Structure formats: structure tokens, C-alpha cells
Amino acid sequence: FLVTRQPLFALLDIVQTNPSTMKLSVHAPSLAQTHMQGPKDAGINGSGKPLTKEELDEVKEELEQIKKEYGLKEPTRSFMDEPGTEWRFGGAPDYSLTNLYYLKQRTKEHPEDSLEKVVENLVKTWEMERSHKVDYTKHQSVDQERFLISANGGKKFNNEEANKVGNYNVLMESCPAEIWDKENITWEKSHEKFHNAFAAFPWEVLEVYSGPPKVAFSWRHWADYTGTYEETTGEGERIEIFGFMTAVVNDKLQLCDCEVFYNPEDFIKNLRGEKKVKDTNSSWNTMW
């Protein structure tokens, strides 16, 4: 179901000039590793190096194998085949790597017809559109007029503002400057900071506590720290973020008003080696 408009392993270096968004130069080794470009294994193919074509072929083979063997399905990210889409990296993203880690490492397996699965797919669709579709006015996962998003009680960004600064700056907005210097981190810089840390960064819904129009749910975001963040290199340890979110949706199940709550400071301290993973998320952690 993934659409590729350029060869998967063409080196992408694209300048976007759409006036409805911004001028932007983006680089990616493949459509399977666009924003996350770290190695698959710590110390195997070198810190900060993306997966080779052979490694990605193995990923796709393993993904198909476990789907067939266990009857699993990949997450649904809607609106990936819309005609005329201007893609940030020149083609629709390939989520094979992320989906493999999601299926192998998730802690919840929700029924396909459950509210949890609907919410999970909606958020994954929003992430895909915000991260990969250049023209935010064509994002279909959000209510264009009503969309707002904030993190930890911080600034509420409208649709245009959130697209301009990028997801990381929205979600880290309330952090102190020593953790995240929002005044000096652009959209590009915000993504560059995490490029080499992980091979992929899966996300799952844990529990849904209320249905539409105001959906409340807990979530988990995780990755194996195989690459490098700033001056620190990971040793393959799994870093997890847990949080809570409320999302008002309209009758089309488009996001309208989203509030996210989590601990970004511990996440950055883990990456910097300032705090041990085992000392983080004491009420949530699945690894200790």
C-alpha cells in the first residue's frame, strides 16, 4: 500500500518552496528512514549510519514473515495515496522498518475494530501527514479551522503555527532552555537533532478512557538507542516515553483540540547519558 515516486535508495536532497509552508531543504538516505536515520544495531554498522539496502530488504522480509505467521496487520495510515500530494522527501514514506518494530515490540495488541485501534491509526495518520506532506492545508487528519495542539500546558499552536515550527518544537515547547532551546531551534534543526539517534521510533496507544467527541488516552513511544544524540552514543538500550493525551474530534474524526502530557526532560537526559534508563518512568517502565 506504499507509494514510491523515486527509487527507494536514491539520495534525497529536495528544496520545498511551497508558499503555504516554508522553504526547506531535507535529506534522507531512503524513504524508509527519513526523519530517523540511525543504525539498526548498536556498534554493528557504525554510529549514526542508516540501514543499508540489504538490511532494509531483510526488514521487509521479516515483516512479511511475521505478518503471515501470526496473522498480524500493519497500522493504517490513511491518505497516503492522494493524487497530487507534494511529499517532503520526494515520495510517500515507507513505514516497513517502523511497522516491524511496532509489531515486535508493542505492549498492547488491540482488536482491529476497537476504539483503541481507531485512535492509534488516527494519530499515526496525523504524524505521517505533518511529517511528510508539505502543504498543511491539504492534511486530512485535522480540522483545518479548529486544530490546536499544546504540550504540558504550554502554548497552543494552531494548524499553520504547528506546521511551521514542526512537531518536536510543539511537543518540547514547555521545556527549559537547557533541555530544548526553542528560541534557536528551527524546524530543520529540530529534526536534525534526532536524525542519528534511532533507526525508527514506534508509537502505540495503551488505553482509551473516553470516546468521541473528547478522546482521552495513554500512550507509549519508544526506540532502541543505537546511534548518537549530540555528543552521546547509545549502547542499544531501549528508551521509552509514556504520556497521556486528550483530543477533541469532529464528526469526521478529524483532530480539533489536542493536549499532550509527558516528561520530555527525562527523555533528553536519557539521550545525553545524564540519567539512566532504569531510573526513568518508574510507574510505567516495561523493561525494569
Side-chain angles (χ1 to χ4, degrees):
F1 59 90
L2 295 171
V3 179
T4 302
R5 297 189 179 185
Q6 294 186 4
L8 182 62
F9 265 78
L11 179 62
L12 306 178
D13 183 1
I14 302 158
V15 179
Q16 306 289 5
T17 57
N18 191 319
S20 67
T21 52
M22 69 198 91
K23 288 187 177 181
L24 178 66
S25 177
V26 292
H27 308 262
S30 77
L31 292 172
Q33 285 193 293
T34 51
H35 295 296
M36 297 298 153
Q37 301 174 13
K40 184 172 180 287
D41 301 295
I44 299 300
N45 61 342
S47 175
K49 293 183 180 179
L51 272 69
T52 64
K53 181 180 185 304
E54 290 72 24
E55 286 176 314
L56 271 177
D57 287 343
E58 292 174 2
V59 163
K60 292 174 183 291
E61 183 177 345
E62 183 180 3
L63 177 60
E64 293 305 315
Q65 180 181 347
I66 66 170
K67 285 165 57 179
K68 182 178 180 180
E69 182 175 354
Y70 298 104
L72 302 178
K73 293 185 178 181
E74 296 181 62
T76 299
R77 295 172 177 86
S78 302
F79 315 122
M80 288 188 65
D81 56 357
E82 298 296 293
T85 298
E86 185 178 2
W87 294 104
R88 195 176 300 279
F89 293 91
D94 177 351
Y95 280 97
S96 298
L97 180 62
T98 301
N99 288 348
L100 177 63
Y101 288 165
Y102 163 80
L103 291 177
K104 292 178 65 175
Q105 299 172 350
R106 63 184 174 178
T107 61
K108 301 288 185 179
E109 187 173 349
H110 303 297
E112 287 297 317
D113 60 351
S114 65
L115 180 57
E116 285 81 3
K117 183 61 69 175
V118 171
V119 172
E120 191 171 80
N121 286 336
L122 172 59
V123 175
K124 289 179 183 291
T125 297
W126 166 77
E127 181 279 328
M128 177 275 297
E129 290 197 305
R130 188 66 76 191
S131 299
H132 293 276
K133 292 185 176 182
V134 174
D135 188 353
Y136 74 90
T137 65
K138 295 182 180 179
H139 293 180
Q140 298 189 55
S141 58
V142 302
D143 185 312
Q144 291 287 328
E145 300 300 322
R146 298 172 59 190
F147 182 77
L148 296 169
I149 187 169
S150 66
N152 296 321
K155 170 183 168 62
K156 281 185 174 286
F157 293 82
N158 63 29
N159 195 30
E160 181 178 5
E161 292 170 332
N163 186 76
K164 182 178 180 179
V165 301
N167 287 350
Y168 289 126
N169 280 326
V170 169
L171 296 175
M172 308 286 278
E173 192 273 338
S174 62
C175 291
E178 63 269 20
I179 294 293
W180 191 262
D181 187 7
K182 62 185 179 184
E183 299 300 327
N184 295 300
I185 298 179
T186 63
W187 191 103
E188 287 178 284
K189 288 182 179 178
S190 72
H191 287 77
E192 288 171 1
K193 288 181 72 69
F194 296 103
H195 265 177
N196 297 327
F198 315 128
F201 202 9
W203 183 91
E204 68 174 337
V205 165
L206 297 177
E207 293 186 69
V208 175
Y209 299 95
S210 63
K214 189 170 185 177
V215 184
F217 58 95
S218 55
W219 52 266
R220 170 178 172 253
H221 211 356
W222 74 96
D224 294 337
Y225 191 10
T226 56
T228 300
Y229 178 81
E230 295 178 347
E231 302 299 320
T232 303
T233 298
E235 298 179 351
E237 64 271 37
R238 186 161 301 163
I239 293 181
E240 298 177 295
I241 311 171
F242 295 88
F244 191 82
M245 179 173 174
T246 62
V248 175
V249 296
N250 61 19
D251 58 359
K252 298 179 181 178
L253 287 183
Q254 293 174 313
L255 298 170
C256 298
D257 191 344
C258 302
E259 295 183 283
V260 183
F261 302 92
Y262 74 113
N263 188 335
E265 295 184 34
D266 277 358
F267 171 57
I268 297 299
K269 288 179 180 179
N270 285 162
L271 292 175
R272 289 175 174 171
E274 297 172 354
K275 189 170 185 176
K276 298 291 186 181
V277 172
K278 66 180 181 179
D279 297 327
T280 307
N281 301 316
S282 59
S283 299
W284 294 89
N285 205 297
T286 63
M287 298 296 294
W288 304 96

